[in-house]
Amino acid sequence: MISTAVKKTFRYLSSFALIVSLNFALPRLMPGDPVKNLIGEDVYVSDLVIEELRAELGLNRPLLEQFLAYIQALLRFDLGYSYHLHSPVAEVLQERIGWTLLFVGVSVGLGAGLGVFLGAYAGWKPETKLSRGLSCGFILLSCTPPYFLALLFLGIFAFKLGLFPFKGFYDTLTLGSIASHLFLPVSVLALFSASRNFLILRGSVIQEKEELYALYARAKGLYEREILFRHVVKNASLPIITLLALDFGFLFSGALFIEIVFSLNGMGTLIYDAIIGKDYPVLQGAFLLIALAVLIANILADFLYAVVDPRVRRPA
Amino acid sequence: MQKESRAYKELGVQRNLGLPKESYTLKESGLQKFGKIFKTFNRGGLLLFFFFFFLALFPSLFAPYSPSERFIPYEAPSEAHLLGTNDIGNDILSELVYGTRISLMVGFASACISTVIGLSIGLLAGYFRGWTAEVLMGFTDVVLLLPKLPLIIILGAFLRPSVWILILVLGLLSWESLARIVRAKTLQLRESGYVKSAQCIGFSSFHIMCTDIIPNLVHVILPKFMLATASAMISEASLSFLGLGDPSLKSWGIMLSFAFSRGGFIRDMWWWYLPPGLCITFCVLAVALLGFGFEPKTGVAKKEVVKLQ
Amino acid sequence: MQHNLKKVLIGILILLILNASLGAGAPSSSGAEAKAGIGNETPKVQGPEFQSKGEISEGILAYMQAVYLGAALRPPDEATLSKAASAYLLQLEKTKGSVLKIATPNTVKSASLFGDYSLGIFAHLSNPPLMKMDANGKLVGQLVDCYEVSENNTRWTFYLKDELYWSDGKKVSPKDAEFTIRYYGKKTPSARWINDTLKSSSFSEAENSVTFKFNKPYTRINLEFATYNLLPAHIWEKIEEPQKYIHEGSYVGCGPYFLKRIELKAGKLVFERNPYWRGPMPAFECVEIHFYSNLDVATLALENGEVDTYYKYASSYPYPNIEQLKKTEKFDFLEKTNVGLIFLGFNLKKAPLSDRAFREALSYALNYEELVALETLGYGEVANRGFVPPSMEYYKETEKLKYNPAKARELMKKAGYEDRNENGILENKEGDDLRLTLLVRQDSARTAELLSEYLEEIGLEIEVKNVDQDTWFTLKDDYKYDLTVTRSTPWGMLMHASWGSGYFDSRRSGKGVLHTLEDPAFLQLCDELLATTDSAELEKSAHALQAYYAENLPAIPLYWNRVVTPFNRDFEGWAADPLYGIYNLETFVEVRKK
Amino acid sequence: MNSLLDVKKLKVGFEGAKPVNVISEVSFSIQKGENLALVGESGCGKSIIAHAILRLLAPEARIEGSILFKGRELLKLSEKEMAKLRGNELAIIFQNASHALNPVYSIGRQLAEPLRIHQKSGKTDATKKVLKALAQLGFSSPEKYLKFYPSWGSGGMNQRFLIASSTILEPELLIADEPSKGLDPARIKEVERELWVLGKEAKSSLLLISHDLGFVRRLADKIAVLYSGEIVELAKTSVFFKQPRHPYSQGLLGSLPENGFVPIPGLAPALCESPSGCRFHPRCPFQKEKCLREHPELKAREERAVRCFLWA
Amino acid sequence: MGLKIEKLSKRYGKGLFSRETELFRDVSFKLEAGKTFGLTGPSGTGKSTLGKIIVGLEKPSQGDVFYKGSSIFELRGSEKKVFRRKVQMMFQDPLDAFNPRKKIERSLLDILSLLKIPGSKGPDKIRLMLKTVGLNEEVLLRFPAQLSGGQLQRLALGRILLLEPAFIILDEPTSALDVSVQAQILQLLKKVQAREKLGYLLISHDEAVVRFMADYCGKLEHGSLSLA
């Protein structure tokens, strides 16, 4: 027990270390001069100014020194300064992540619920027309690029039918406004999340229902539905916990496309703008944040797993 | 032991029915019905896949024109141009047909890279235990925790837009789940009687891995390979949308991104933006369905991957 | 309710008129004094009531003070009611809640008025720069009535307009102008040249003027000052790091509107009428700028009528989308030839493009008509050899570019590029096949496709190299290409010695520029242009420069396109300038619902 | 007749790629309080009979004949009615206890489940009963096990939990499906004791399915020997062990350690390819020509029934 | 010459943070040609591990195994190869002992090619072996899953015999089998032993089986071996 915990901690730490070093190395290894990117196009700037900026950014110091400075800064929660956004990256991220978390969180929740419920049904009765249809639908869905679906949704529901607004988290800061603005993006992301959960749970239920305990539950006198929801689903949905944690990164990136399409000013558009503008500090910071989020989600999942699955927390 | 058969083992019929394992009456009949939809899926998947495969192999047979030939731009579908023409007057159908090869290539090439890496790491870590395995799996876990798509997007932003770099990045970043399954399965297999006997008999580790372990991993590797292909194709399309694709090689993703950036969507030219989108979806579907077909019916492996230790 | 409102209105009006007498003399005189040489038209007058707008403004000033600052109201006196004032207030009342909505893909990324690129442009509405470019491409005063330049071009004096008030009620003073320019020089890297070269500055409250002395001659200050947003010194002098000053609003402005809120989460900017604005009253209470990360979505929103018009800096509304918009029959379009253009740049430092004859031959290889048809969908025209589009000042008519592949081949042969080994590819003078690298950024991928087709047609082998922005900069700066497709922006065309010279002068460096031309004749022309502010001399040199372009072809403009801006038919009064399109003060003051 | 369970001419087949008949015309009955053992080698269809009685077979199974439980035809009951019987009056103990228990629920919960389903017991009431059942099965501090999970205990422990769960409602008929398979000799003793106690105290009848003859001998009142899907000998335990009549029964006893591991020659046929004539004839030391051609009937005489021409 | 096991100990879990658990310590006994050593004891005491150590599948924590007077852990190169063939192990689950993806024929031919027996002699050798273990040639064309436990266990023995070993570790060879099949296999083992002068280490928890087979036996309990 202790050794696995230690091993896990070590792995989490080294993942984090890798992410941090990757984060540090990426912009420095890649082509292009970050300093030149800080200055707008078509603006005449003397070389002296460029050098000044370079010194200001510490890009002329030896790598190791830069790395140490970087680590020190990280320890102070200083993720650097974005010259494009004119504020410390940490502040930008802090400001942006809230809404994205809300948007992703709601979608993940809905997606998990929908996926588990429908997946359980489809796995339990895989031969019915409904569950075949569901399977086909979700497989198709999981095979569609997120932005494509988002644009189609927007085209149909917002433009053609005029049911929902086109952009933004809200117009006025009221619950109704937020709900109507977030309805489409959340639906799209939730569908994606659900499609992944659906497929996993369907397979998982198909497999779990063959387990002896399911047969024994029947031998105890439980009805079909009770066997499914009391015995099979809990076992079958255990993998979803870790899946959700691992998928956290995926969902963030799915959110990226959806945010662009729906002009949501969250992490996704932040990253997109940073890519377009080569805003390295923001890119680095966002990546670090997402990686950290995934890491934390995984730690939570491990913890949750131990709580839910007695096999893991077996006493000595 | 094989998990799925547990319930039926109780019935004691499995082993001595004297039928080939694949057609154990009970097991098969149990799986037959769900097997059926998989089969219908698979037949569809196979057909679709071969359709795309032939498009990729012999585009000139299917495409009415060369993809670079130009006609009147922004034409609606007509007899001459079944899917109309795009912004510079290329025949969209021809472009679509020629795009198949590039999209499939991106998918398969990156899946090959990830499969080779995943298989070797998983196999080595599973077969030889000890510190090397610890290090390999530790590394795998670390990679597993990296948020893939954001990282790919960021790498795509930093690197110059080239299909080859894209393939490499996608391949190098998507091997870890395969490595985990392979390792889990290898660990299981190396404890099996036949590997132990082979070791006793004196076969070399290499021989054992090649003849005893890898063949028994095929049904684990193939679905993963297919799913990796599918996800690489989606990633390529997504990156193209972000403007991180390689516009000189006209994959479906690039076509789609042109359709959006050059007014196809807004002019409601569904014959321009829908076909590449549907092609991606259906090609990925075909590949994924093939993958599901290869999937071991046990699903034990799946569970093991997901569970972190 | 209505009764009450009327009462209050009347009361206030009386008050206003009474107060108006305080400053009645001064405003009327300065308003008419449009000095010669500065083509600032007197604002169009809406009705006879507005003739004495000075009075009204003063009144309103007091009214505002009363309302916002809680000054005591004196009892109403109906006798002193003026028709003008009542009309004004009625107008105010009538337009209450009216909003003009503009869609833009130029998303504001951070709420930093000073730092965000897009926000800086949008802030022209609330904090207009001193100068502006008029519809004909001429530089005229915006906040200044006129300016003077010393003989040696080192001393510039700007005379500010009277009746400019900040939205907090303070008068705009020349100190604000001096502060603004100094502040920009100190605080932004791109304006550091000001800090480095500004020897001294001074202002005179009496003359309402501000003077800048530079340590070397500068001839383009009037142009430069068309970009720096005027800032209220009393607010910004307290802000040490303006770029880091993230503030959602409101901001004090002196334009017809002031920036009320920056709502990034809702994806919009909200401007509100500046209560102290003394010009003609804008017809809307609010102007909202809506951001769309995705162009298609912006278009859809426009089609649906969610917004009234579309604006993107230096760009047209996407041509492919126009047709769709026309179908709705809700929109009219404003067209203006773009100052910026797409051009084929050459690496003049390397054979064969260093050979004028080769370039000459190459110029006949491109199918300009088709480029116009495919790239601009007809919203453009074939360019002249003189590069500079007609929307620029001192435009000179030069020969039109012509497509004639036969002639191109013939000229190639004449210049010594011939396919002697008959492999379909021309050889250079040494006998090697001509393989040229066409370096493009991803947004010009389509153009590159067409160009390589044309060039291969005359027997050149083209390798298209699609790269990202960064790599393009690097390769371009290292001269690792033969041909490249790039674009110039209106600002880019004006920089350096103007007329696009900034893109070619080899003595310059910078992100978007090619710095390939080191021909002394060209450099001489640039220097001449940079040395004068005299319009006659400028015209002469500008014409010479365009003739040089036409003769030597340091780059080939692929087409001149038009900036098309759709606007809702229910509105009228749109105006566009070559630099900022419809986003100018004139538009916002003039535009109103039909 | 007041048999508790009366199985008549039970036939079970499976529809597959190639439909097979695995059980052919098996008939037996169990009286109240009587223990019957079904013995035979793996693959002879013992467990299928057990599952057929509880109707737990996959839907592909074809079941013919009749199974009367307390006079009710089980094969004609609806799934709902069947569910009411299962676990309540008819219970089963699976061989692989560790897998038959749901890994994610506590023992307390799983043991209480039958009470909740069939008796709608409240929580405290159920807990009380569970504790009692655990105590009965020899757990010294049963409270400890309420929050215990199957994966935490050993196989033997789980076997006892499973027995507790299956017997908590004191079913009238308990089917024990190979309860001794895969267990240590010591554990087998424990299970044996519990089953014995159960029969004595709860007055449950027991249908014991096993291939372990020693185990069966100590528990069962009657023994039915199954070979290739049919009963070849049915007799009282004491009689059977003293004097097995069918050649297969004789061979089976001969293979036991105490009889010197004398093997039956040849291999048991697979269920789907039963030989014609007497199914045992290829391995029978006493085979006659008739045995090759004709299929012998099960003939009853002197409290036993044997399917052999020799027995005629 | 026999196989001498001297003071073998096995401990598990030498991790940084996990406690070390001792499986058994100081186990010594001898295996002799033509004789059977029966090893019994409750499950979980390391009987199988002991067997695996002797065939070299696992390493002991302490102790040594001597074959023909030299320690088997110090053998290198070809010597090691030869020794490995001399001591073989038969496992509990016969189905598990064959690669499910290979036909029986393939599995056996692989061994012949390992032994470098020329292709012409192979079929004869296999036929002979099948006869020894009492199987029909038809089994060669089957996959392992198509054979019964008894058949497979016979094949497992036959496969070992192809290697011409001197000692076989029998790890619960019959506990997965039915009574009647168990008897068959035990008889077969005896027959082969008598003919080939093999030494057996029979690991079983079934004392009746051990009594029947073994010439001498020991019981592994609480970590140590007591000889009887």
Side-chain angles (χ1 to χ4, degrees), chain D residues 20-41:
Chain D
V20 283
N21 255 322
V22 287
I23 302 293
S24 40
E25 307 216 346
V26 164
S27 306
F28 59 88
S29 65
I30 299 176
Q31 311 299 317
K32 228 175 156 62
E34 188 186 40
N35 293 350
L36 172 79
L38 277 177
V39 295
E41 290 174 74

Side-chain angles (χ1 to χ4, degrees), chain A residues 166-167, chain C residues 100-104 288-292 297-310 331 566-568 571:
Chain A
F166 285 91
K167 63 148 182 102
Chain C
L100 178 68
K101 290 181 182 167
I102 301 176
T104 180
E288 288 182 4
I289 313 289
H290 288 259
F291 314 123
Y292 291 86
V297 179
T299 306
L300 290 179
L302 195 62
E303 265 182 52
N304 252 22
E306 299 242 317
V307 284
D308 304 313
T309 184
Y310 168 94
F331 291 89
F567 60 88
N568 197 319
F571 296 80

Side-chain angles (χ1 to χ4, degrees), chain D residues 41-42 184-185 211 255-257 260-261 263-267 283, chain E residues 43 148 151 178-184 186-187 205 208-209 212:
Chain D
E41 290 174 74
S42 336
D184 265 345
H211 72 287
S255 305
L256 288 179
F261 293 108
I264 311 170
L267 299 165
R283 306 170 70 187
Chain E
S43 54
S148 72
Q151 284 171 312
D178 283 318
V179 225
S180 60
V181 184
Q182 166 176 296
Q184 291 178 342
L186 292 179
Q187 298 291 0
H205 67 256
V209 170
F212 174 69

Side-chain angles (χ1 to χ4, degrees), chain A residues 4 7-8 11-12 14-16 18-19 22 26-27 30-31 123 126-128 131-132 135-136 139-148 151-152 154-155 160 199-200 202-204 206-212 215 235 238-243 246 249-250 252-253 256-257 260-261 271-272 275-276 278 280 283-284 286-287 290-292 294-295 298 302 305 309 311-312, chain B residues 3-4 6-8 10-11 30-31 33-34 36-38 40-41 133-135 137-139 141-151 153-160 180 183 230 233-235 237-244 252-253 256-257 260 265 268 273-278 280-282 284-286 288-289 292 297-300 302-303 305-309:
Chain A
T4 47
K7 209 190 268 174
K8 241 177 222 174
R11 276 180 191 175
Y12 282 130
S14 40
S15 316
F16 191 63
L18 181 75
I19 286 161
L22 204 66
L26 268 180
M30 300 307 163
E127 69 281 356
T128 62
S131 77
R132 276 199 213 184
S135 306
C136 284
I139 289 178
L140 267 177
L141 203 63
S142 68
C143 295
T144 313
Y147 69 89
F148 188 61
L151 270 166
L152 284 183
L154 185 120
K160 292 251 159 70
L199 292 176
I200 295 287
R202 179 179 175 279
S204 196
I206 284 181
Q207 167 211 333
E208 289 286 335
K209 74 176 183 184
E210 300 300 313
E211 291 286 314
L212 194 60
L215 193 70
N235 277 288
L238 282 181
I240 300 269
I241 298 174
T242 0
L243 186 83
L246 285 176
F250 165 82
F252 257 109
S253 46
L256 186 147
F257 295 105
I260 294 167
V261 170
I271 294 175
Y272 181 64
I275 289 171
I276 302 292
K278 301 282 146 125
Y280 292 112
L283 271 183
Q284 277 172 284
F287 177 62
I290 292 178
L292 201 62
V294 173
L295 210 67
N298 271 288
D302 268 351
Y305 217 103
D309 191 343
R311 282 167 288 199
V312 179
Chain B
K3 210 168 175 185
E4 103 279 7
R6 236 180 245 146
Y8 291 117
E10 306 305 318
L11 302 179
L31 284 168
K33 287 230 167 116
F34 10 109
K36 241 183 219 164
I37 43 166
F38 269 116
T40 47
F41 272 169
E134 280 294 313
V135 169
M137 284 334 281
F139 180 61
D141 278 356
V142 169
V143 175
L144 189 76
L145 286 173
L146 291 176
K148 290 299 122 33
L149 248 145
L151 184 59
I153 287 170
I154 286 169
L155 279 175
F158 281 130
L159 297 165
R160 85 184 199 88
R180 289 181 70 94
R183 171 178 168 268
M233 285 170 64
I234 291 187
S235 299
S238 303
L239 289 177
S240 301
F241 177 74
L242 291 182
L244 300 172
W252 293 329
L256 201 54
S257 86
F260 283 114
F265 183 68
D268 223 5
Y273 67 85
L274 224 45
L278 289 181
I280 294 171
T281 302
F282 279 101
V284 169
L285 181 70
L289 284 179
F292 289 145
K297 299 290 183 268
T298 65
V300 181
K302 199 192 291 166
K303 220 172 174 182
V305 193
V306 170
K307 224 164 82 181
L308 281 170
Q309 268 295 311

Side-chain angles (χ1 to χ4, degrees), chain A residues 31-33 36-50 52-53 56 81 83-88 91-92 95-96 99 151 154-155 158-160 162 164-172 181 259-266 269-270 272-274 276-278 280, chain C residues 107-112 114-117 189-193 196 241-246 248 263-268 288-294 296-297 299-301 303-304 306 441 468-471 473-474 477 486-489 491-492 495 503 507-513:
Chain A
D33 183 353
K36 280 193 187 165
N37 291 302
L38 294 177
I39 304 156
E41 213 173 312
D42 302 329
V43 176
Y44 174 68
V45 172
S46 68
D47 290 344
L48 189 75
V49 176
I50 290 186
E52 253 172 60
L53 264 173
E56 214 172 283
Y81 185 82
Y83 282 83
H84 288 242
L85 303 180
H86 313 288
S87 35
E91 268 175 34
V92 175
E95 194 227 340
R96 294 286 188 109
W99 281 90
L151 270 166
L154 185 120
F159 178 64
K160 292 251 159 70
F164 300 99
F166 285 91
K167 63 148 182 102
F169 285 116
Y170 54 79
D171 201 36
T172 52
H181 277 79
E259 282 189 8
I260 294 167
V261 170
F262 291 96
S263 309
L264 301 175
N265 205 44
T269 39
L270 181 73
Y272 181 64
D273 289 337
I276 302 292
K278 301 282 146 125
Y280 292 112
Chain C
T107 53
V108 168
K109 287 159 201 159
S110 77
S112 160
F114 205 78
D116 190 86
Y117 185 66
S190 59
R192 235 174 247 198
W193 63 272
D196 297 343
E241 291 186 278
Q243 312 231 0
K244 295 185 186 176
Y245 180 63
I246 306 281
E248 295 199 336
E263 291 187 46
L264 296 184
K265 290 284 177 293
K268 64 180 180 187
E288 288 182 4
I289 313 289
H290 288 259
F291 314 123
Y292 291 86
S293 324
N294 185 287
D296 288 335
V297 179
T299 306
L300 290 179
E303 265 182 52
N304 252 22
E306 299 242 317
R441 280 173 283 195
D468 70 310
Q469 190 97 337
D470 266 340
T471 320
F473 294 142
T474 314
D477 284 341
T486 183
R487 71 186 194 318
S488 66
T489 59
W491 255 109
M495 69 184 172
Y503 284 97
R507 297 167 297 184
R508 292 172 47 87
S509 69
K511 273 178 89 168
V513 306

Side-chain angles (χ1 to χ4, degrees), chain A residues 208 210-236 238 307-315, chain D residues 51 54-57 79-80 83-84 86-88 90-94 96 99-105 109-110 113-114 117-118 149 151-153 162 165-166:
Chain A
E208 289 286 335
E210 300 300 313
E211 291 286 314
L212 194 60
Y213 68 79
L215 193 70
Y216 185 62
R218 223 173 130 198
K220 269 185 195 171
L222 286 159
Y223 299 138
E224 293 272 300
R225 219 176 317 130
E226 291 171 320
I227 303 173
L228 172 62
F229 287 108
R230 286 208 195 159
H231 284 271
V232 176
V233 166
K234 191 170 174 191
N235 277 288
L238 282 181
V307 172
V308 186
D309 191 343
R311 282 167 288 199
V312 179
R313 70 182 144 102
R314 176 186 200 141
Chain D
H51 287 240
L54 273 171
R55 296 211 355 224
L56 291 178
L57 289 174
E79 185 56 34
K80 261 201 172 161
K84 273 184 195 144
R86 284 190 201 124
N88 192 10
L90 264 169
I92 186 165
I93 303 169
F94 286 132
N96 201 336
H99 291 130
L101 294 169
N102 194 331
V104 296
Y105 290 120
R109 186 177 163 167
Q110 295 195 54
E113 200 169 18
I117 309 164
H118 296 291
Y149 287 89
S151 53
W152 301 357
L162 191 68
S165 166
S166 290

